[in-house]
Amino acid sequence: MHIRASSSWFSRPVSDWVGPRLFAALVLALCLGLTYGAWRNADDASEQQVQADFDFRVRELVGSIAGRMQTYIQVLHGVQGLYASSHDVTRSEFHAYLAVQQVERHFPGIHGIGYLPLLPGTERARHEAQVRAQGYPDYAIRPPGQRAWHAPITYLEPLSDSNLLAFGYDLWSESVRRAALERARDTGQAAMTGKIRLVQDAGSGDAYGFLVVLPVYEHGLPHASVEQRRAALRAWVFAPFRMGDLMAGVGGEASRQLDLEIYDGAQVTEAALMYDSLPGSQPAGASAALASQQSISIAGHAWTLRVRAMPGFDGELLARPLAVAWTGVLVSLALALAAWLLAASRARAQVALARASELAGQLEQGQASVLAMATAAQRSQAMLRNILDSTIDGILVDNIAGRIFTSNRRFRDLWQVPDALDWQADGEALVRHVASQLEQAAPFLVARAHAPHGHRERRDVLHLRDGRVIEQYVRSMQLGNEQARLWTFRDISERSQMERREHTRRQVLEMLATGAPLERVLESVVLSVQADHPAMLCSILLLDEQRHRLVLGAAPGLPAFFNLSSHGHDLDALQGVHGIAAQALRGGQRVIVADLHADAQAQGTMELAWRAQLQSCWAEPVRGGSGKLLGVLMAYHRQPALPSAAHLARLGEAAHLAGMAIEQAQVALALRAGEARFRSLYDHAPVALWEQDWSAVRAALDILEQKDVGDLAAWLQAHPEELKALAGKVRIIDANGAALAQVRATDEDQRRGALSLAQNFDDPALPRFGDALLALARGAHLYECESSFVRLDGAARQNELSLLVMPGHADSLDFIMVSSFDITERKRMNAELLQLATTDFLTGLPNRRQFMAALENEHARLQRELASCASVLMLDIDHFKRVNDDHGHAVGDAVLRHLGALMCQALRKVDVPGRVGGEEFAILLPGTDLGAAAVFAERLRRRVAESSLTTDGGILITITVSIGMAAMAGTDADCDAVLARADEALYRAKRGGRNRIEQNDGGSDGVLSKFMAQ
């Protein structure tokens, strides 16, 4: 019995020992272990193969770029050889040579090949004249301005439309291009610029390129060293490259799976990025391991290349380990499943019936629970829908991705969503429907793109095309596991309209109460309407006194030609769009034209509307309080449109305010008629009279007094900006004819408020205004002073002023009467006398007396500041007597003026030149030691020697100067000592051969430079 039991136990399968699940798990673990080993070996082999393939393609790509650039540089060497083989290559020869090369066909990426001569600044005009004579009348060196050297693009082939944009551009004027030119000049090799925008691509915002230049040296001149190359430089040949064209096709088919970025220099920064084969951020899925950064040097300039493998790079190799892994997993699962099925088949057969009974009972309970939950969910959803539909606000719920979950009935009514719009299937259709109703859709679209975070909310105000205003709120909310947004829309059109109307009404009433000009009041009315409806342009046209013509009242947003076409014309003569205004005035009724160009017969009469880009027009009559027609308010749209109720209400309110303003202006005109007689006496007074309102200034002073500002003078000195603010508060009430004539103003200028305190006190004279303010505020009734003012034509003048407090206003300082007298001519005559006393009449330089005064002032400064320095130069024209003897004194005077002009061109603002003798000149250089003075003197000596003077008789005269220098010190007894030292150095220069510079530093003699005239 025992033996049979033992034999039966050993005969049981392994699945009975450990159980079906543990047995299947052991089989699965064994198979998965074998699968992992196979996958690991395959993955290592694939990664090594992929890395090797990537490194090879990177080297191949870098080599292709370097090889292509070397080929292009050889093309430039060919053009360099063309100039090396010829003393003068003409434009036609240059064109013929490059036409044979067919650069654009054989060398893609080169935008052209050009020639840059090196020109001194003095040769600019001659060079431009030569190129214009070759058939380019508009040729000019750009950018304009005088520079020491120029390198303009003179030849450029092919001379296409884009290359014409660069024709004449001065590469020397721009630092990056100039650095490449200088490097090519000094090395004799090709040089490449950094990252630039080609002149041909001036209108392209993201196109970058570079230039490669080669120097061209003069024939027969050595250029072994840097100094020899600089001296022998004749010109450059260059080629512009656009990065996108250059990189097209580089690397072949294999490069399409690589993301290539090229950076200028060694830094990998956004500012240095020159080329990106895949613009934008790093492509999703790009391998971070398969990336390489290479540095190459082309034409002496470094590039940094960053290469990344794109998704799918060598996908077949990478797919092999995955196939091995999946195959092993599937086989392992199959074997484990088979083992589990075999082991568990017997146990499942035994418990199947009991388990089936148990599951049937649980299923019945689950069905009952689900049915109850569905009923509750339907009831809750119906209650939520009823609540949403009964709210006064429009509700919309969507997620961050823009998928719309739900909306209530108020939202659909508010935005007039048609029933046919299936927004649940296409949420973008609902967004487009909402955006199409907005005058400015940006707030709605920005709120949709940038949802608020946390418990924050975003508020915006939306303006609809039909005149409604809607308040928009956006809040974040959580719907289960998904982040959502709750949109709330409320119609605030009525409240917004009431606020705007009240604001406009209050503003107009304030302007009427303060006596503002009618033009300003009407313009305020028009601007308020346009602010409410940005898509609308408005104007107000008035009837003249005879009620037969239209006069422009205000039209700030319409073109000038459109306004002038209606101003001053008879009602019967007006046609087209202006005929609508005449129709509204003749009928006294509102006129609405929804489409100005709908009628084909009206096309000719609507030409003005076409030119002004107007599509619809609404005319609202303007009436006074008695119902009398005073004008018409015109509203225009750039699209065909019909007015809504909100539009009509707003236009009616604006027309009512305009009628009040016009009647107020007419009343004021009647009052002014009673003052005409007094006005005539006032206007014809021979003295310039100004009536000024200082009430705002008095109110500001009262506020300062309340702030315990006791010392007004000290406060104004500590706050100089407040003085200008106080001056701006002064209002010119009236000015008589003499005052208007004094400032070159007209009655029209006075009526439109063009006169201000600047016609009595301009900005430099504000301290005088402050003195007058202090005197009048302390109780003075009269204050007199000298000041400066600005005429309306912009001329600055000087005057004498008398400020008189108006009788009855001595305590309040409200009104001031100012009389002014223009003393500019008297001041000018005094200045001319001073100029004659201090200036040399022939050269315009300071004379000896004025120069000595400046010298004494500088000597006094050096005595106070012993650490400072200064230098004095004495100049003498070499052989000047020969010029007078050979050509006459008139030519000699011209030579003196010529030298004076050359001196002034080289000086700083602080330097003082002077003519101290017949042909002797002197220059004071404050703050300059002898070393810096020597550099300045040599530059001046060369400028004089290289320039020439052509007289009226066609005589070409070239002069040289001898210069003596001496340092000025505060220890000198007087200023004559430095003149004596400089004069002694000058005579040494003249004895030493002239056209040279010598200095007298109190020690041994030393010649700074010696350039004998040939």
Side-chain angles (χ1 to χ4, degrees):
M1 187 81 178
H2 175 73
I3 295 175
R4 285 197 301 268
S6 174
S7 175
S8 177
W9 188 85
F10 278 104
S11 64
R12 293 173 61 186
V14 179
S15 59
D16 290 343
W17 302 350
V18 297
R21 294 182 181 178
L22 183 57
F23 176 70
L26 292 174
V27 174
L28 179 63
L30 177 62
C31 293
L32 288 179
L34 297 175
T35 300
Y36 176 77
W39 169 80
R40 191 64 187 175
N41 291 333
D43 184 67
D44 292 342
S46 297
E47 286 184 354
Q48 293 176 2
Q49 181 65 31
V50 169
Q51 185 65 46
D53 191 13
F54 174 75
D55 294 340
F56 173 76
R57 294 191 186 182
V58 170
R59 289 193 299 271
E60 184 181 29
L61 178 61
V62 174
S64 297
I65 295 174
R68 174 172 287 191
M69 287 307 304
Q70 190 61 37
T71 302
Y72 292 168
I73 293 175
Q74 290 301 322
V75 174
L76 282 181
H77 277 293
V79 181
Q80 185 187 40
L82 174 66
Y83 278 92
S85 63
S86 175
H87 287 277
D88 184 18
V89 178
T90 64
R91 188 180 299 275
S92 60
E93 292 173 346
F94 189 82
H95 172 75
Y97 174 81
L98 291 176
V100 173
Q101 294 288 333
Q102 297 184 1
V103 174
E104 290 184 327
R105 178 179 178 183
H106 297 132
F107 306 99
I110 297 184
H111 204 60
I113 295 180
Y115 172 71
L116 309 168
L118 178 63
L119 302 173
T122 56
E123 294 293 322
R124 174 174 181 157
R126 184 182 64 80
H127 170 76
E128 290 179 344
Q130 289 179 351
V131 177
R132 291 170 182 169
Q134 294 173 4
Y136 300 94
D138 297 330
Y139 174 82
I141 296 178
R142 299 178 286 109
Q146 189 67 30
R147 293 178 287 277
W149 296 97
H150 299 285
I153 299 177
T154 305
Y155 296 170
L156 186 58
E157 294 293 338
L159 201 56
S160 59
D161 292 340
S162 61
N163 280 342
L164 277 175
L165 297 176
F167 194 39
Y169 180 76
D170 184 5
L171 270 63
W172 198 264
S173 65
E174 197 270 322
S175 59
V176 176
R177 295 173 171 87
R178 181 170 64 250
L181 295 178
E182 291 175 344
R183 189 166 66 253
R185 174 198 65 191
D186 294 344
T187 62
Q189 302 297 324
M192 187 173 72
T193 68
K195 172 184 175 182
I196 61 172
R197 293 187 188 276
L198 298 181
V199 181
Q200 296 92 325
D201 297 332
S204 178
D206 55 354
Y208 298 103
F210 60 92
L211 304 179
V212 177
V213 298
L214 272 174
V216 176
Y217 299 107
E218 288 288 353
H219 293 282
L221 294 181
H223 45 83
S225 64
V226 173
E227 290 74 13
Q228 290 175 347
R229 285 192 285 271
R230 290 183 178 180
L233 182 67
R234 171 186 176 187
W236 295 270
V237 293
F238 80 103
F241 295 83
R242 186 184 293 115
M243 288 301 299
D245 298 340
L246 175 66
M247 302 309 298
V250 173
E253 184 69 23
S255 65
R256 295 184 180 179
Q257 294 179 331
L258 299 177
D259 177 22
L260 172 62
E261 297 176 355
I262 300 178
Y263 295 87
D264 186 25
Q267 298 296 325
V268 180
T269 62
E270 184 67 22
L273 180 62
M274 296 180 66
Y275 173 77
D276 188 355
S277 62
L278 294 174
S281 59
Q282 181 175 354
S287 174
L290 295 180
S292 176
Q293 183 167 313
Q294 304 285 331
S295 295
I296 62 174
S297 178
I298 301 174
H301 190 77
W303 278 359
T304 300
L305 279 65
R306 189 165 70 176
V307 186
R308 294 193 298 263
M310 295 300 298
F313 181 83
D314 287 344
E316 295 181 357
L317 294 175
L318 295 176
R320 292 176 185 174
L322 187 62
V324 171
W326 277 110
T327 302
V329 169
L330 292 177
V331 171
S332 300
L333 291 176
L335 292 176
L337 179 60
W340 179 79
L341 290 175
L342 290 175
S345 58
R346 201 178 310 172
R348 287 199 304 270
Q350 294 175 355
V351 298
L353 183 60
R355 185 62 178 167
S357 300
E358 183 180 355
L359 289 176
Q362 292 178 356
L363 180 60
E364 291 178 357
Q365 294 178 359
Q367 288 178 346
S369 176
V370 169
L371 181 61
M373 292 174 61
T375 304
Q378 290 179 355
R379 186 164 54 250
S380 299
Q381 186 175 7
M383 182 181 300
L384 177 61
R385 172 56 56 185
N386 291 332
I387 294 174
L388 287 177
D389 288 340
S390 61
T391 59
I392 62 173
D393 294 335
I395 303 297
L396 178 70
V397 181
D398 67 351
N399 62 3
I400 305 301
R403 185 169 66 89
I404 297 176
F405 295 129
T406 186
S407 66
N408 67 346
R409 182 183 298 108
R410 178 56 179 165
F411 172 83
R412 295 190 291 274
D413 294 341
L414 198 64
W415 293 103
Q416 302 174 5
V417 179
D419 296 335
L421 183 63
D422 187 5
W423 52 266
Q424 291 182 333
D426 186 5
E428 291 297 328
L430 180 61
V431 173
R432 290 192 298 270
H433 174 75
V434 172
S436 65
Q437 301 183 53
L438 297 173
E439 291 183 348
Q440 297 291 335
F444 172 71
L445 297 178
V446 169
R448 186 170 179 266
H450 303 284
H453 299 286
H455 298 286
R456 298 181 180 178
E457 66 178 14
R458 178 189 178 99
R459 176 187 179 275
D460 294 288
V461 177
L462 308 179
H463 295 271
L464 276 67
R465 297 180 185 275
D466 59 5
R468 289 182 295 157
V469 180
I470 292 180
E471 193 174 39
Q472 168 188 285
Y473 287 92
V474 185
R475 302 176 182 86
S476 294
M477 59 182 298
Q478 194 73 24
L479 289 181
N481 295 327
E482 188 171 4
Q483 188 72 21
R485 293 177 298 193
L486 175 65
W487 298 71
T488 304
F489 300 92
R490 178 172 297 177
D491 191 343
I492 60 171
S493 302
E494 184 176 356
R495 185 185 72 189
S496 177
Q497 290 174 4
M498 291 179 61
E499 291 176 352
R500 289 195 301 268
R501 290 175 184 176
E502 182 61 28
H503 174 74
T504 303
R505 182 182 182 86
R506 184 166 55 253
Q507 182 181 18
V508 171
L509 291 177
E510 289 177 356
M511 295 177 71
L512 293 176
T514 56
L518 177 61
E519 293 81 358
R520 287 181 54 196
V521 179
L522 296 181
E523 183 175 341
S524 176
V525 173
V526 170
L527 291 177
S528 66
V529 177
Q530 294 181 167
D532 291 344
H533 307 286
M536 187 185 300
L537 297 175
C538 298
S539 67
I540 296 178
L541 303 176
L542 309 179
L543 284 171
D544 65 352
E545 295 180 357
Q546 290 75 26
R547 305 181 64 79
H548 294 301
R549 296 177 182 272
L550 281 181
V551 179
L552 182 65
L558 291 169
F561 73 88
F562 185 82
N563 295 330
L564 291 175
S565 61
S566 63
H567 182 69
H569 290 73
D570 290 335
L571 292 177
D572 297 335
L574 293 174
Q575 296 182 351
V577 65
H578 295 315
I580 298 172
Q583 178 184 352
L585 287 172
R586 285 194 295 266
Q589 299 293 329
R590 178 187 301 125
V591 178
I592 298 173
V593 180
D595 191 348
L596 292 171
H597 312 293
D599 187 0
Q601 298 179 354
Q603 297 298 323
T605 61
M606 293 299 175
E607 180 183 359
L608 280 173
W610 275 112
R611 291 175 57 194
Q613 301 180 356
L614 303 178
Q615 296 283 340
S616 62
C617 172
W618 312 334
E620 182 75 21
V622 176
R623 300 179 182 273
S626 61
K628 179 181 178 181
L629 278 174
L630 302 176
V632 61
L633 171 63
M634 305 295 295
Y636 305 96
H637 279 264
R638 299 195 184 279
Q639 299 294 332
L642 283 171
S644 64
H647 288 142
L648 295 179
R650 188 69 184 92
L651 292 178
E653 178 70 17
H656 177 68
L657 292 175
M660 293 175 55
I662 296 171
E663 283 191 333
Q664 182 73 15
Q666 291 175 349
V667 171
L669 182 62
L671 292 176
R672 285 195 299 270
E675 302 173 357
R677 184 172 182 180
F678 172 77
R679 181 69 193 187
S680 177
L681 296 175
Y682 177 80
D683 284 341
H684 292 87
V687 179
L689 298 176
W690 308 78
E691 186 178 353
Q692 300 177 355
D693 181 4
W694 286 39
S695 57
V697 178
R698 174 185 52 77
L701 294 180
D702 293 341
I703 294 175
L704 292 177
E705 185 177 355
Q706 294 173 5
K707 294 181 179 180
D708 297 330
V709 177
D711 190 349
L712 181 60
W715 185 86
L716 290 177
Q717 187 175 5
H719 303 82
E721 71 281 356
E722 296 298 332
L723 184 60
K724 187 172 184 178
L726 290 174
K729 296 179 181 297
V730 176
R731 187 167 61 91
I732 305 297
I733 299 176
D734 201 359
N736 68 350
L740 296 178
Q742 186 180 87
V743 298
R744 298 294 190 270
T746 62
D747 293 337
E748 180 64 23
D749 296 327
Q750 184 177 355
R751 282 195 297 272
R752 63 185 179 87
L755 300 179
S756 66
L757 193 65
Q759 278 66 65
N760 295 144
F761 299 94
D762 58 7
D763 288 346
L766 283 179
R768 306 287 77 75
F769 167 74
D771 296 339
L773 175 61
L774 291 174
L776 299 180
R778 291 168 180 169
H781 293 177
L782 177 65
Y783 182 81
E784 298 178 342
C785 64
E786 287 189 3
S787 174
S788 58
F789 69 97
V790 179
R791 294 192 317 214
L792 291 192
D793 58 6
R797 308 282 289 180
Q798 294 178 307
N799 58 354
E800 285 183 349
L801 295 174
S802 296
L803 287 79
L804 176 66
V805 179
M806 294 287 286
H809 299 277
D811 297 330
S812 58
L813 194 62
D814 285 338
F815 296 98
I816 305 295
M817 180 64 71
V818 180
S819 64
S820 62
F821 179 71
D822 192 331
I823 59 172
T824 306
E825 294 302 321
R826 186 177 71 191
K827 290 283 188 179
R828 182 186 61 80
M829 292 176 63
N830 293 338
E832 288 180 355
L833 292 175
L834 180 61
Q835 180 77 5
L836 291 174
T838 59
T839 305
D840 177 60
F841 73 95
L842 181 61
T843 62
L845 300 177
N847 57 16
R848 183 179 183 86
R849 177 186 301 174
Q850 183 67 10
F851 181 79
M852 293 302 296
L855 205 62
E856 290 176 356
N857 292 336
E858 182 64 16
H859 182 255
R861 185 184 70 84
L862 292 176
Q863 289 179 328
R864 295 190 304 270
E865 304 173 8
L866 295 179
S868 185
C869 59
S871 298
V872 175
L873 277 63
M874 293 290 292
L875 295 81
D876 187 87
I877 301 177
D878 298 330
H879 304 298
F880 181 70
K881 184 176 183 301
R882 186 184 304 169
V883 175
N884 282 331
D885 295 342
D886 294 345
H887 305 290
H889 289 282
V891 175
D893 293 344
V895 169
L896 294 175
R897 288 192 295 270
H898 176 64
L899 177 58
L902 292 177
M903 290 171 57
C904 292
Q905 292 174 5
L907 294 179
R908 304 170 300 176
K909 289 184 178 181
V910 297
D911 299 336
V912 181
R915 183 184 179 192
V916 297
E919 67 272 16
E920 290 187 353
F921 296 82
I923 300 176
L924 170 62
L925 303 175
T928 306
D929 58 15
L930 279 178
V935 175
F936 169 80
E938 172 59 19
R939 186 166 61 247
L940 177 61
R941 187 201 64 78
R942 292 184 59 185
R943 180 190 293 267
V944 174
E946 293 173 357
S947 64
S948 59
L949 171 67
T950 303
T951 65
D952 294 339
I955 302 172
L956 184 66
I957 297 177
T958 302
I959 62 172
T960 61
V961 293
S962 299
I963 303 176
M965 298 191 321
M968 189 176 184
T971 57
D972 291 338
D974 53 26
C975 58
D976 291 333
V978 67
L979 283 180
R981 293 195 298 271
D983 195 56
E984 180 183 351
L986 171 62
Y987 278 100
R988 284 208 308 268
K990 295 179 75 68
R991 289 193 300 269
R994 294 182 171 84
N995 191 22
R996 59 193 286 155
I997 304 169
E998 289 208 16
Q999 71 178 15
N1000 188 345
D1001 55 1
S1004 59
D1005 297 343
V1007 179
L1008 293 179
S1009 62
K1010 178 179 179 182
F1011 295 83
M1012 300 304 296
Q1014 301 297 326

